[in-house]
Amino acid sequence: MPNPFSKSESLFAASKKYIPGGVNSPVRAFKSVGGTPVFIDKAKGAYLYDVDGNSYVDLINSWGPMILGHAHPEVIEAVTQQIKKSFTYGTPTSLELDMAKLMCDIVPGLEMVRMVNSGTEACMSAVRLARGYTGKKKIVKFAGCYHGHHDSFLVEAGSGALTLGSPNSPGVPEETAANTLIAEYNDLASVQALFSKHDDIACVILEPVAGNMGCILPKDGFLHELKALCHKNGALFIMDEVMTGFRLAPGGAQEYFDIQADIICFGKIIGGGMPVGAFGGRKEIFEHLAPLGPVYQAGTLSGNPVAMTAGITTLTILKNTPSIYTELTETVKNLHQSLGEILSEKGIAHHINSIGSMISIFYTDREVHSYGDAKTTDTELFGRLFHHGLKSGIYLPPSNYESWFLGKDIKDKEVEKILETFKTF
Ligand SMILES: *Cc1c(COP(=O)(O)O)cnc(C)c1O
């Protein structure tokens, strides 16, 4: 039988000569599932098409941004018109005003917003602003939460949580890591313990629904109690909605859980596929940001008109089409139920977490509420399932620690294909 992935394989071999590991972001290299990454040539709606001519139902949607499906005609048309007016001017544009107004209109409590070029930039700038605003130094993050690759965030608990963080990447100074304290997701007492021990905590940052250790939901009351704890201790409460923003609901987790953070970070969907991030919140806090205030933050291409156009068009469609959210939620509920039944029939231990258009399956017999729980998943089994998926025409995230992100074009036919893939595993 001819090798169905031969072109991808030769491209990967060639890429490894010129690009570290052959990729520009590590998870794309398939290290945790083994094998060779497929090289995608184009995508449309719910499908990816690779260089060998194989097609896949896309369950990651570029890690979240493509909620409208790939190559949405309205977004393409708007971007094409803007490109003719040049790509970037390095001056203010009315598009930036439109984008900021649109976001503030949709997201509860959002009064001011600053655009950046990635989720990483949004989170690192949010933390700088929190430190500048409070005059305090330390930050609290949760084990297993991802906030981009800035030094302050590449820290996790060792085996015992609640210790001072040590860097989990060479190149991150210990002094930097020492300012990042680690708590346990869904465990308020672990945060309380940190506040009892340290009086210089500027902020607590978290993913309101974790999506970077698989999908993990906050327990009832966790977010609200955490916010109250922050405020009692003079720390800001930062929600990293890079993944959940405009995905859980138009107003993200803030709308879904009826809660407002002091600073909210955005990325992914707000760029409609272009490199965009943003952070925003109350005016009184954002007045501390340059050029209004002393906390410095800048970007040559921040708010650039092409990216703003893709973002504005995407967010406007989402705002005007609430059925996208209800339909995606229905699809995920159906997947949750049916996949659970298939796995049970096969006698495969599993625990499924899902919310809105996010879902992930942990191959474990315990409930998953924290990083510790997530780590009990059977990654070897997942690796085999992943490759069975590729051969059957579905593209799962190439790591068991990543949530699936559905796009609006996943309908009955695609769901059927996903279920069939699990049945034949
Ligand atoms: C993807 C992600 C980031 C980082 O965004 P980049 O655009 O990759 O820098 C930060 N936080 C969360 C929750 C994310 O999912």
Side-chain angles (χ1 to χ4, degrees):
M1 204 179 102
N3 175 359
F5 304 113
S6 62
K7 285 189 183 154
S8 281
E9 283 172 13
S10 56
L11 282 171
F12 189 51
S15 296
K16 282 197 278 195
K17 281 195 203 155
Y18 297 99
I19 304 171
V23 293
N24 282 310
S25 198
V27 71
R28 296 179 200 166
F30 280 20
K31 262 185 117 171
S32 69
V33 290
T36 303
V38 291
F39 279 57
I40 299 301
D41 175 44
K42 62 182 179 191
K44 177 78 189 155
Y47 291 88
L48 297 171
Y49 300 89
D50 75 9
V51 290
D52 286 288
N54 305 304
S55 66
Y56 309 91
V57 174
D58 184 9
L59 291 171
I60 65 168
N61 280 284
S62 193
W63 303 95
M66 309 312 284
I67 190 169
L68 294 181
H70 290 281
H72 191 286
E74 270 180 64
V75 181
I76 288 182
E77 174 58 23
V79 167
T80 306
Q81 291 310 321
Q82 176 55 43
I83 281 174
K84 293 178 188 159
K85 297 160 90 178
S86 186
F87 293 85
T88 172
Y89 324 117
T91 69
T93 63
S94 64
L95 291 166
E96 292 160 87
L97 170 62
D98 294 345
M99 181 70 164
K101 272 168 73 177
L102 185 60
M103 287 178 70
C104 292
D105 183 28
I106 299 173
V107 177
L110 195 63
E111 293 176 356
M112 279 188 156
V113 59
R114 166 66 55 86
M115 303 307 302
V116 294
N117 304 291
S118 68
T120 296
E121 260 190 83
C123 295
M124 74 177 209
S125 307
V127 163
R128 183 182 303 142
L129 179 58
R131 285 173 163 153
Y133 177 81
T134 58
K136 297 178 182 181
K137 198 153 92 177
K138 294 205 164 66
I139 69 169
V140 173
K141 81 174 271 291
F142 292 87
C145 276
Y146 182 68
H147 306 292
H149 63 89
H150 182 251
D151 286 0
S152 308
F153 303 126
L154 292 182
V155 181
E156 62 179 10
S159 44
L162 308 186
T163 51
L164 280 182
S166 60
N168 63 4
S169 165
V172 176
E174 272 160 37
E175 299 87 319
T176 305
N179 287 315
T180 300
L181 309 170
I182 304 297
E184 208 52 57
Y185 201 77
N186 273 323
D187 180 358
L188 209 61
S190 71
V191 185
Q192 177 63 64
L194 293 173
F195 274 122
S196 306
K197 212 167 145 202
H198 304 274
D199 58 9
D200 55 347
I201 296 175
C203 61
V204 172
I205 183 167
L206 92 164
E207 296 176 65
V209 169
N212 287 289
M213 45 179 162
C215 174
I216 299 184
L217 279 59
K219 286 186 177 162
D220 274 353
F222 177 63
L223 296 174
H224 289 86
E225 286 162 27
L226 181 61
K227 176 180 168 181
L229 188 60
C230 288
H231 289 177
K232 201 176 114 201
N233 289 279
L236 294 185
F237 175 59
I238 305 180
M239 293 215 302
D240 175 356
E241 293 229 51
V242 170
M243 197 175 264
T244 51
F246 302 92
R247 177 166 286 281
L248 283 188
Q254 295 212 125
E255 177 181 334
Y256 195 96
F257 296 110
D258 190 18
I259 185 168
Q260 284 174 21
D262 299 309
I263 303 179
I264 309 116
C265 306
F266 299 95
K268 300 198 167 109
I269 287 178
I270 63 164
M274 302 291 283
V276 180
F279 61 120
R282 289 201 310 280
K283 194 170 168 194
E284 168 250 333
I285 295 172
F286 276 77
E287 280 173 350
H288 287 70
L289 202 58
L292 258 187
V295 178
Y296 194 69
Q297 190 282 327
T300 300
L301 292 175
S302 293
N304 92 77
V306 182
M308 291 304 95
T309 301
I312 291 165
T313 313
T314 299
L315 298 192
T316 304
I317 294 171
L318 288 171
K319 181 182 167 205
N320 295 336
T321 330
S323 60
I324 291 175
Y325 293 94
T326 44
E327 283 171 19
L328 276 170
T329 301
E330 274 313 302
T331 304
V332 162
K333 276 190 185 149
N334 176 10
L335 276 173
H336 188 140
Q337 165 93 22
S338 306
L339 289 171
E341 286 165 9
I342 295 168
L343 290 166
S344 294
E345 253 167 53
K346 287 181 167 286
I348 296 176
H350 64 278
H351 184 81
I352 304 180
N353 285 341
S354 74
I355 180 169
S357 55
M358 294 166 68
I359 176 169
S360 62
I361 309 174
F362 299 91
Y363 301 94
T364 175
D365 43 25
R366 61 159 127 162
E367 290 196 359
V368 179
H369 302 293
S370 70
Y371 190 39
D373 298 333
K375 279 195 292 196
T376 63
T377 190
D378 184 347
T379 52
E380 185 275 330
L381 180 138
F382 174 76
R384 283 188 286 122
L385 177 63
F386 173 82
H387 283 287
H388 175 67
L390 277 191
K391 290 190 192 104
S392 316
I394 71 167
Y395 193 89
L396 294 165
S399 159
N400 203 177
Y401 297 109
E402 303 284 354
S403 176
W404 307 7
F405 303 107
L406 273 68
K408 76 161 178 47
D409 295 329
I410 299 213
K411 297 265 160 74
D412 290 351
K413 183 172 148 223
E414 289 73 29
V415 167
E416 208 35 61
K417 186 151 184 149
I418 297 163
L419 299 181
E420 199 50 41
T421 300
F422 277 74
K423 280 183 198 154
T424 53
F425 175 54

